[in-house]
Amino acid sequence: MSNVQRVTKVHCLLATACISMLAGCTVGPNYHKPAVATAPAFEEPHVEASAQAQSDIAWSNWWTVFSDPVLNNLEDQAADANRDIKIAVAQVDESGAMARVAHSYQLPTIGADPSISRTREAQYRPNNGNTYGLASTYNDLLLPLTLSYEIDAWGKIRRMVQSANAMKQASDADLRFVQLSVSASVAVDYYSLRQTDAQLAIFDETVNALQQGYQIVDNQFQHGLVSELDVKQAETLLNQVRSQRDALHIQRDQLEHAIAELLGRTPEGFHIAVDTRLQAPPTIPAGVPSQLLERRPDIVASERSMASASAQIGVAKAAYFPQLSLTGFAGYESANPGAILDWQNTIASLGAGVVAPIFTGGRIRAKVDNARAAYQVSVSQYEKTVLTAYQQVEDQLAALRFLANQEHDSASAVASARDQQRISLNRYNAGLVSYLNVIYAEQTLLDNEQLEAQVSGQRLIATVVLVKALGGGWEGRPSGQVSSHLDATQTTPAISDAKAR
């Protein structure tokens, strides 16, 4: 081996070593998930995972713990056809494609640039043998492959890949949050509709009872046994209850329409059969506050967005340093197409370039400041999302605790109101009191029965909202859960039905 060859080999090794060292340099901060203070337990008392609690709530179909086949069917339809879910799926595909785009910058770009031309040059053209050459006409056929490659000396591309991967993970979590929101909306509207069914059944029974009472009073008036005032009082209450029932019918139809929209359907031809039963809600274990950071998809999405914003600081900082690139081509060139593939007609070129910023008017610094500010925004947004999650869980735990007490108290009030109605009707029939006492007792009974149905429905709705606040199900989650850190290099069948009079 000659001295020239040794020197050339040493230079190549040194250049390779320098490129490797530069490639290992990554500017910008390495991401670390910020610590969030969590309480050891929720403020509101709740049921821990036990034999009585539904602790094995499925990740993909949490609503099955309510043991309602109609709800199960509605949820399955929504999962297949809801437009918000379809939009979120498309956004996941979009972010996945952008992540692949970022990955592609880690590889060289190779392309083909063939061309063919025919040229005639003048005899007395410049530099043609001191003007004594001849005019010429020739063909030029090029078959080259081009190459361009940016050396990731400062980690700009690696930070871009990290940012794109984190955004892809955030989109995955956003999709899960949309699915959870849609399924919770279906369940809330469904149990609101069931609550309306129970209230309508109470109104129907009340209207029937008041209609019978009105007929009795009117007959008594026709025989001169009571005054017209009693008739008008009975008629007024009857019409008032009918009006309230009509308003509930509007509410039921609107709930059906809302559910149809969530299922990706038009309201025409969509109906849910009436069912006045309001079952007791399942018991949901809240767990400990720290579990929210893993369960709630909106928290995961916010944390991944924060990781992406952190990587963007490195992308912005890399602009301070020179951009190193390799360009080259290799192929064939010939004036004779028949000899284009001859070895003597091969051509090749390889070059390296450096572009370094000297004066940018503060543009690079402004972009770095912008990236840092965006990261701080994402940190505050993450903290806000966590605090909101804690609040929502505490709200529903408090609601369920007091709704259980309220349901017991309202059931007692209904029993007392029913006794009051019976006593007042007996006293009226005995001629001891006016019909106004009966009207007052009927109105009191109706109000308390309506309240009891509302409380039973609200317990079911609050349970659904609690499941959503806890992040949906937590058993059987997909194995590829989002990492918390970004690598620096890469039911009880009790029935509360409308009470018979």
Side-chain angles (χ1 to χ4, degrees), residues 254-268 270 272:
Q254 291 177 341
L255 286 169
E256 270 192 341
H257 301 164
I259 295 174
E261 189 275 332
L262 289 169
L263 270 56
R265 300 177 55 176
T266 58
E268 291 79 10
F270 177 80
I272 299 175

Side-chain angles (χ1 to χ4, degrees), residues 32-273:
H32 298 285
K33 181 180 177 181
V36 179
T38 59
F42 289 107
E43 179 71 16
E44 285 292 330
H46 62 277
V47 179
E48 298 291 347
S50 64
Q52 291 76 27
Q54 302 287 341
S55 58
D56 56 342
I57 298 179
W59 175 260
S60 58
N61 56 349
W62 55 264
W63 51 86
T64 58
V65 300
F66 289 85
S67 301
D68 191 324
V70 177
L71 176 61
N72 294 346
N73 180 262
L74 295 175
E75 294 286 4
D76 290 340
Q77 293 184 55
D80 292 336
N82 181 266
R83 294 301 183 266
D84 288 331
I85 294 178
K86 290 183 180 294
I87 292 171
V89 169
Q91 290 172 338
V92 169
D93 294 339
E94 181 183 9
S95 63
M98 293 306 298
R100 294 197 302 273
V101 169
H103 278 281
S104 70
Y105 288 108
Q106 294 179 312
L107 301 173
T109 300
I110 300 175
D113 190 18
S115 65
I116 184 171
S117 63
R118 182 173 177 81
T119 305
R120 174 177 173 79
E121 294 184 343
Q123 177 181 358
Y124 298 107
R125 65 188 179 275
N127 300 321
N128 185 18
N130 294 325
T131 71
Y132 293 107
L134 301 176
S136 65
T137 300
Y138 61 90
N139 300 322
D140 188 12
L141 179 61
L142 281 170
L143 293 177
L145 292 176
T146 61
L147 177 144
S148 62
Y149 177 63
E150 180 180 350
I151 300 173
D152 193 19
W154 320 109
K156 172 185 175 181
I157 297 176
R158 292 192 294 279
R159 292 300 191 196
M160 290 171 57
V161 170
Q162 290 175 3
S163 179
N165 287 342
M167 287 309 299
K168 170 61 169 61
Q169 294 166 344
S171 294
D172 292 338
D174 284 336
L175 170 59
R176 169 60 188 159
F177 184 68
V178 171
Q179 292 171 328
L180 175 61
S181 299
V182 169
S183 60
S185 296
V186 170
V188 167
D189 287 349
Y190 173 75
Y191 282 120
S192 296
L193 184 141
R194 288 297 178 234
Q195 174 187 322
T196 304
D197 284 344
Q199 292 179 269
L200 282 171
I202 295 170
F203 272 114
D204 288 340
E205 292 178 4
T206 303
V207 167
N208 291 335
L210 292 177
Q211 182 68 44
Q212 294 174 7
Y214 170 75
Q215 293 295 337
I216 294 173
V217 174
D218 186 59
N219 290 334
Q220 291 176 336
F221 170 69
Q222 298 298 331
H223 292 81
L225 301 177
V226 297
S227 68
E228 187 179 6
L229 177 62
D230 290 339
V231 177
K232 293 303 179 182
Q233 288 173 338
E235 185 180 19
T236 299
L237 179 58
L238 175 60
N239 291 332
Q240 177 185 349
V241 174
R242 283 174 174 171
S243 175
Q244 294 173 343
R245 183 178 62 177
D246 292 338
L248 271 182
H249 278 296
I250 296 174
Q251 177 177 311
R252 191 186 194 282
D253 285 352
Q254 291 177 341
L255 286 169
E256 270 192 341
H257 301 164
I259 295 174
E261 189 275 332
L262 289 169
L263 270 56
R265 300 177 55 176
T266 58
E268 291 79 10
F270 177 80
H271 298 289
I272 299 175

Side-chain angles (χ1 to χ4, degrees), residues 346-416:
T346 57
I347 57 175
S349 174
L350 181 64
V354 178
V355 178
I358 296 177
F359 177 75
T360 61
R363 183 169 56 251
I364 297 176
R365 181 180 180 85
K367 288 183 177 180
V368 172
D369 291 343
N370 176 265
R372 285 173 172 163
Y375 173 70
Q376 291 302 321
V377 170
S378 67
V379 171
S380 297
Q381 185 62 51
Y382 172 71
E383 294 171 344
K384 177 183 177 181
T385 303
V386 172
L387 291 175
T388 301
Y390 291 155
Q391 175 205 339
Q392 291 173 347
V393 174
E394 293 282 8
D395 286 349
Q396 300 313 312
L397 289 174
L400 286 171
R401 178 161 66 95
F402 287 107
L403 282 170
N405 297 335
Q406 188 179 6
E407 186 175 46
H408 178 269
D409 294 338
S410 62
S412 300
V414 167
S416 299

Side-chain angles (χ1 to χ4, degrees), residues 255-330:
L255 286 169
E256 270 192 341
H257 301 164
I259 295 174
E261 189 275 332
L262 289 169
L263 270 56
R265 300 177 55 176
T266 58
E268 291 79 10
F270 177 80
H271 298 289
I272 299 175
V274 173
D275 188 347
T276 61
R277 295 171 298 174
L278 287 173
Q279 65 190 52
T283 302
I284 306 299
V288 295
S290 61
Q291 292 175 327
L292 283 184
L293 304 183
E294 299 177 358
R295 289 179 178 177
R296 293 226 353 174
D298 56 335
I299 294 179
V300 174
S302 182
E303 188 271 331
R304 290 289 85 198
S305 297
M306 182 171 52
S308 176
S310 174
Q312 284 296 323
I313 299 175
V315 174
K317 278 190 171 183
Y320 278 118
F321 302 93
Q323 178 180 330
L324 310 178
S325 61
L326 296 176
T327 58
F329 69 88

Side-chain angles (χ1 to χ4, degrees), residues 381-452:
Q381 185 62 51
Y382 172 71
E383 294 171 344
K384 177 183 177 181
T385 303
V386 172
L387 291 175
T388 301
Y390 291 155
Q391 175 205 339
Q392 291 173 347
V393 174
E394 293 282 8
D395 286 349
Q396 300 313 312
L397 289 174
L400 286 171
R401 178 161 66 95
F402 287 107
L403 282 170
N405 297 335
Q406 188 179 6
E407 186 175 46
H408 178 269
D409 294 338
S410 62
S412 300
V414 167
S416 299
R418 189 171 288 113
D419 290 340
Q420 179 184 355
Q421 186 263 356
R422 175 180 52 80
I423 294 171
S424 63
L425 184 60
N426 290 337
R427 290 174 61 83
Y428 171 77
N429 291 332
L432 300 177
V433 295
S434 69
Y435 196 73
L436 182 62
N437 294 79
V438 178
I439 291 176
Y440 176 78
E442 290 281 0
Q443 186 67 60
T444 301
L445 177 58
L446 174 63
D447 291 343
N448 282 279
E449 286 182 329
Q450 289 292 310
L451 178 60
E452 182 182 35

